[in-house]
Amino acid sequence: MENMVNIFLFGKKYSVPDNLTIMCAMEYAGYQLVRGCGCRNGFCGACATIYRIKGDRELHACLACQTKVENDMYIATLPFFPLIKQVYDMNTVSPTQAVMMQLYPEIYACIGCNACTKACTQELKVMQYIAYAQRGDFEKCAEESFDCVMCGVCSSRCPAGISHPQVAMLARRINGKYLAPDCGHLEDRVREIKDGTFTELIEALMQKPVEEMKELYNTREIEK
């Protein structure tokens, strides 16, 4: 027999196996997930969820596809967050601090409460990368925010209304286009792909059985 736990989804009580993630528990309970789900592997950030455990007043934020249910867990999934997504042309933006002041001036209203970092589902130092963005240090901002999945939970807790994921995205784009060293072999490979150098090889691979594809992948030669 499976060990069962009691959870509360949007206030309604359900008994579910204790080895399920929140997302799987919702489906077990009969919910059809049309929105708020995506990759199911912690990469897309679509399943931002809040919960608390009975007797604990603290609210916790998580990704539903990565978090296992607990007994007496009260759960509510979150709608998408209306983050400020400014429109800009990467070919004309200036890789200086001024671009943040122009596009995302709210970052300078940060009060240093660190609520964004505490809420991050990926345990990123969110307030720190915003501080880098304020100073125009886009390389450090890009590095610190690299694992962001754009779930928006950080912004939901921000009293200054900062759109942290969008700020980080801009920093990574600026770093990639203007600051990071050119990657010559990557440019060569992209050119070869466009020229059709690998078309025949790709078509041949597409005809192979799935198991053979897996074996080729697992035994592939990895460049050091």
Side-chain angles (χ1 to χ4, degrees):
M1 294 289 293
E2 294 177 313
N3 293 322
M4 308 295 282
V5 294
N6 294 323
I7 64 171
F8 297 82
L9 298 172
F10 309 104
K12 188 174 181 179
K13 184 177 179 180
Y14 297 91
S15 183
V16 301
D18 66 355
N19 63 343
L20 298 181
T21 63
I22 291 175
M23 182 174 287
C24 291
M26 292 182 70
E27 293 178 319
Y28 181 94
Y31 285 83
Q32 182 179 6
L33 301 181
V34 179
R35 295 181 177 84
C37 62
C39 69
R40 296 175 177 262
N41 281 296
F43 297 115
C44 73
C47 60
T49 299
I50 54 174
Y51 71 89
R52 71 175 182 86
I53 305 299
K54 185 177 181 180
D56 181 2
R57 297 178 62 186
E58 184 178 356
L59 280 176
H60 303 273
C62 69
L63 297 180
C65 69
Q66 297 292 293
T67 307
K68 282 192 174 183
V69 293
E70 298 179 43
N71 194 48
D72 288 335
M73 177 184 271
Y74 289 77
I75 301 165
T77 58
L78 301 178
F80 70 92
F81 290 101
L83 300 175
I84 298 173
K85 184 179 181 181
Q86 299 292 3
V87 177
Y88 47 83
D89 182 352
M90 283 307 302
N91 293 315
T92 60
V93 297
S94 171
T96 64
Q97 181 185 0
V99 71
M100 284 296 177
M101 180 66 78
Q102 176 188 356
L103 294 174
Y104 294 105
E106 64 273 11
I107 67 174
Y108 298 99
C110 174
I111 62 174
C113 66
N114 212 31
C116 51
T117 297
K118 293 177 181 178
C120 180
T121 59
Q122 303 298 94
E123 299 182 350
L124 301 181
K125 297 177 182 177
V126 182
M127 192 178 78
Q128 180 61 68
Y129 77 62
I130 290 298
Y132 288 140
Q134 290 172 334
R135 298 197 293 268
D137 194 338
F138 300 127
E139 183 177 3
K140 288 184 178 179
C141 181
E143 181 179 355
E144 198 70 61
S145 68
F146 186 78
D147 289 325
C148 175
V149 295
M150 309 289 287
C151 69
V153 171
C154 54
S155 298
S156 74
R157 305 297 295 272
C158 180
I162 298 172
S163 296
H164 310 73
Q166 296 296 343
V167 172
M169 177 68 76
L170 175 57
R172 292 196 297 273
R173 286 172 172 169
I174 289 175
N175 184 60
K177 183 172 180 61
Y178 295 107
L179 307 177
D182 291 336
C183 187
H185 72 280
L186 177 59
E187 293 176 356
D188 292 341
R189 184 54 54 88
V190 170
R191 191 179 305 109
E192 289 173 345
I193 292 172
K194 289 182 177 180
D195 291 342
T197 303
F198 303 102
T199 300
E200 186 176 342
L201 175 60
I202 292 173
E203 290 178 351
L205 286 173
M206 293 293 289
Q207 302 303 315
K208 293 183 180 296
V210 173
E211 291 303 317
E212 187 176 346
M213 289 281 287
K214 290 181 179 179
E215 181 63 22
L216 287 170
Y217 178 82
N218 291 331
T219 59
R220 71 195 186 282
E221 182 179 348
I222 301 177
E223 294 183 13
K224 295 183 179 180

